[in-house]
């Protein structure tokens, strides 16, 4: 829902620019650059497609993450509207509860990583099981409650 609102806002910006006399070809080039930039970021070697929730009261945001030392850099999809840097001190991996599993049913074997944050409440990350080694990142020995893949 959030990305739909952002897309509507983005479309409104381009419509206003077009009404103000900015050439449509210039708007099209700007949109193309944004799309190609986003695609290029998703093709990084250590990219992790994920859902991020910064604290238990916030909502889940879909995007892509990348570990830079002990900081998880997150960029929301489909545009660069949502960005976060999460300074983690540890990662704990666990299975999803049945209620959580229903929300992430489109992921192949989803797992949750709880990031102990240095300066605030814990953040949670959900990703497919195949991205688990990347999610663990700099913490190669996580506390784990994950059973064998089914």
């Amino acid at each position: 829902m959030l990305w739909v609102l952002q897309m509507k806002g983005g479309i409104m910006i381009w419509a206003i620019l077009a009404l103000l006399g900015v050439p449509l070809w210039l708007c099209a080039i700007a949109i193309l650059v944004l799309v190609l930039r986003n695609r290029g970021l998703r093709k990084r070697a250590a990219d992790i497609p994920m859902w991020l929730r910064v604290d238990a009261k916030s909502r889940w945001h879909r995007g892509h993450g990348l570990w830079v030392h002990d900081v998880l850099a997150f960029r929301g999809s489909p545009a660069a509207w949502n960005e976060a840097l999460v300074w983690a001190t540890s990662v704990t991996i666990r299975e999803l509860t049945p209620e959580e599993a229903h929300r992430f049913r489109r992921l192949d074997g989803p797992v949750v990583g709880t990031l102990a944050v240095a300066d605030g409440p814990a953040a949670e990350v959900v990703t497919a099981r195949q991205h688990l080694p990347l999610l663990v990142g700099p913490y190669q020995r996580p506390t784990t409650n994950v059973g064998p893949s089914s």
Side-chain angles (χ1 to χ4, degrees):
M1 181 72 170
L2 179 63
W3 71 272
V4 172
L5 294 175
Q6 292 169 348
M7 288 295 291
K8 288 181 182 177
I11 292 170
M12 286 292 280
I13 291 170
W14 298 114
I16 291 170
L17 288 174
L19 289 174
L20 291 174
V22 176
L24 288 178
W25 62 268
L26 188 60
C27 294
I29 289 173
I31 292 171
L32 182 65
V33 166
L34 180 67
V35 168
L36 292 176
R37 181 176 168 247
N38 194 34
R39 183 175 294 160
L41 289 174
R42 288 190 317 243
K43 301 287 184 191
R44 297 173 292 197
D47 181 69
I48 311 166
M50 64 174 59
W51 289 79
L52 174 74
R53 182 166 65 177
V54 180
D55 61 25
K57 295 180 182 177
S58 66
R59 56 190 304 260
W60 290 99
H61 297 283
R62 183 176 56 102
H64 293 263
L66 175 72
W67 283 104
V68 180
H69 192 16
D70 58 351
V71 175
L72 180 69
F74 174 80
R75 183 168 187 260
S77 294
W81 304 114
N82 295 324
E83 293 181 343
L85 297 174
V86 180
W87 180 20
T89 57
S90 67
V91 178
T92 304
I93 305 298
R94 66 173 175 84
E95 294 284 347
L96 279 79
T97 64
E99 295 81 26
E100 292 172 326
H102 178 72
R103 169 138 173 79
F104 302 105
R105 64 188 173 275
R106 291 188 181 103
L107 290 176
D108 184 30
V111 292
V112 177
T114 303
L115 307 176
V117 179
D119 59 350
E124 291 182 310
V125 174
V126 175
T127 190
R129 189 175 303 276
Q130 68 189 19
H131 300 292
L132 187 57
L134 292 174
L135 177 61
V136 173
Y139 307 101
Q140 291 299 318
R141 296 181 186 179
T143 305
T144 182
N145 297 329
V146 177
S149 178
S150 39

